[in-house]
Amino acid sequence: MSNYKHLYWIAFVAANGGLLFGLNMAGISGGINSIQNFFNLNDTALGIVVSSLIVGCLFGAFLAGYFIEKYGRKKVLIFTSILFAVSSIFCAFAQSFIFLVIFRFIGGIGVGIVSVLGPIYITEISPPKNRGILVSFHQFAIVTGILLAYIFNYFFINLANGWRYSLAIPFFFSVLFLILILNSLPESPRWLVAKGRKLEAFEILKKVHGSRVAKDEIETIENSLLTKTKKVSFKYIFKGKVRKIVLLGVILAIFQQIVGINAVINYAPIIFEKTGVNEDIALLQSILIGIVNFLATIIALHFIDSKGRKTLLIWGAIGMTLTLAYLSYGFHFNVTGIEILIAILLYIAFFAASFAPVLWVITSEMFSNHFRGVAMSFAITVSWLSTFIVVQFSPFILNHFGGSVLFGVFALCSFLALIFVKLWIPETKGKSLEEIEKELF
């Protein structure tokens, strides 16, 4: 296997955590009505079932930085694959509301960990010229998982207890993920160098980049670590210039969520039912969301290294602002049918080609090798907190104030995101991680 193929294979294996991310996030969407009826839940309790996974994500993302720095990237990925397997099989057999919430929370811990670890691992093993597309594999895997979840939901909709089958699907993919990790995934060379295991790191980089490049990269990593010997704590990322860089990443992570993407992903069938279509058609339209999400992410993979990260963010924010504003208008004036569907699909396309993949790339690039694990953990924890707020309260806003208010809030957030990106987010394409570190400091 050539160096090029080996690099892409490693990135593919690592990105499978993103596939499980997507399956777990969207797998419940097709069974929301069935779950609500089976457990006799009100809107608040239903929100708890859906958002319990998000709460788990908060804990997983928060703890990820500590565990991946102490135990390494590979061991934590192995642990995460086991969490996914346990969560999915117990959710599928849940006989009580509390039982379902507990094991969705456990699955959320796994999602939270891979949301931090996936981009970090791929960033640390990738050369600058390919890093954008390779880190975007993580997001591509997420949208693939979402699309698969919607397809499974549609086929299970008319089966008795079909929602249980939907929640069981991640079990099979998590077992496959575990096998791939054990057989194909090396440890992060940057983590190995930081732990004094230089020879192991060199052997991994030699297989991926070739001997000459590997030697130069080992020296670069060592030089980057020479002046940074102190153990990094959360206090460190709130000091001096580091604080500014981390703040930029955190705000970008918040904007990625408060533009409303997870409200649409989790509640797509309910949103479509509000426009007057029946449940089967609503699930079919949800599959269209998954397909557009998938295709638009391919566009991002194509342009992220050529056009740059910031350009994609700006055009994505413009598109989301316009489409969300139209959705607010459409729900206010009771527009139904194809117009609402097209607007939602365009919104999904703009998000999937911009904020969805670029957040993972640009934050993992901006944060220095020295504090990347802790900073990514913090930024994505805040992102999941934002997701929790959106997912928990969207059903209440939708049912009590209508889609016009819900999408109006998201449109305003998209406009603010546009201003933020234009003024404060740097361009990082084509630069080594060490070059980016020097420029930002």
Side-chain angles (χ1 to χ4, degrees), residues 73-88:
R73 286 46 167 157
K74 183 173 180 176
K75 287 181 181 177
V76 177
L77 279 174
I78 291 171
F79 172 72
T80 303
S81 67
I82 295 170
L83 280 184
F84 282 132
V86 171
S87 167
S88 59

Side-chain angles (χ1 to χ4, degrees), residues 7-8 44 50 56 70-71 73 87 147 166 175 190 235 237-238 243 272 280 316 327 329 346 359 382 395 397 402:
L7 171 64
Y8 273 70
T44 301
V50 176
K70 182 172 182 179
Y71 298 107
R73 286 46 167 157
S87 167
L147 175 58
S166 293
V175 172
R190 280 180 167 80
K235 287 183 180 180
I237 65 175
F238 298 113
R243 175 175 56 193
F272 285 129
D280 283 5
L327 284 167
Y329 163 86
L346 285 173
L359 170 71
V382 175
I397 296 173

